[in-house]
Amino acid sequence: MTVKKDKVVEMHYTLKNDAGEVIDSTKEQDPMPFFQGHGNIVPGLEKAIEGMKVGESCEVKVEPKEAYGEHHSEGIQEIPMAALQGIDNLTLGMELQSQDEQGNAFIVCVKEINKDTVIVDANHPLAGQILHFNISIESIREASKEELEHGHIHAHGDSCSH
């Protein structure tokens, strides 16, 4: 069996930035399960592992446009401190939920705290970065009809009620 759309794949990975620093890894943990072809992982990685088999491994370099996108300066905004009333212990790096004009929720990260204003960034923390993955395919299986209908993987074949 090979990695292809609608398969449940488990993989181990180590993610590094361009400087070679480890950003994330499944080492010492269970492999990460995901649906192939459903946008559960960044597009560049999804394309790179298509057709791989259990036991295979590879290194993948993913450009920003195929990962978390380019960093957009308009994602950085200065907002008045008064807009954050009710938020206790505001700290650098804190993630806050915001809404766009259409009411869609998105996350911003606090980058700077001033006397009267706060600088927030709506860019993904890895936006604009080249990502380096070292991956190994640990298992591949058919997704159940129920998993495909529900849009998520059931651990060890468990079902859930909706």
Side-chain angles (χ1 to χ4, degrees):
M1 189 177 292
T2 62
V3 174
K4 63 182 182 180
K5 187 171 174 30
D6 295 339
K7 300 291 187 213
V8 175
V9 179
E10 288 189 332
M11 74 176 177
H12 273 300
Y13 70 90
T14 298
L15 169 59
K16 295 179 181 179
N17 61 18
D18 239 4
E21 301 162 330
V22 174
I23 297 170
D24 195 13
S25 179
T26 58
K27 217 175 201 171
E28 313 297 323
Q29 301 172 33
D30 290 334
M32 181 186 77
F34 62 94
F35 274 130
Q36 174 71 358
H38 290 262
N40 295 159
I41 59 176
V42 296
L45 184 56
E46 198 169 66
K47 288 176 188 171
I49 67 170
E50 183 80 14
M52 289 182 69
K53 296 181 173 88
V54 172
E56 290 185 336
S57 58
C58 69
E59 291 190 13
V60 181
K61 177 181 172 183
V62 182
E63 296 292 332
K65 68 179 178 357
E66 290 287 311
Y68 293 101
E70 298 295 341
H71 189 275
H72 298 287
S73 58
E74 63 269 17
I76 300 172
Q77 296 185 347
E78 186 171 15
I79 57 175
M81 189 66 82
L84 300 175
Q85 287 181 344
I87 298 174
D88 298 329
N89 305 318
L90 193 65
T91 57
L92 290 177
M94 179 182 261
E95 291 184 342
L96 305 172
Q97 185 168 322
S98 188
Q99 286 186 343
D100 64 15
E101 294 82 21
Q102 290 79 35
N104 299 311
F106 64 96
I107 300 295
V108 297
C109 182
V110 175
K111 292 295 185 186
E112 190 178 312
I113 302 170
N114 302 309
K115 183 175 180 274
D116 297 319
T117 62
V118 175
I119 307 291
V120 296
D121 188 350
N123 287 289
H124 187 281
L126 297 177
Q129 294 191 40
I130 297 171
L131 306 179
H132 301 269
F133 290 92
N134 185 310
I135 65 109
S136 64
I137 305 299
E138 302 299 316
S139 72
I140 304 168
R141 68 170 173 83
E142 298 287 344
S144 71
K145 183 174 184 256
E146 189 177 50
E147 286 175 318
L148 288 169
E149 286 171 358
H150 293 173
H152 61 262
I153 298 164
H154 298 158
H156 307 295
D158 295 343
S159 62
C160 63
S161 56
H162 285 288

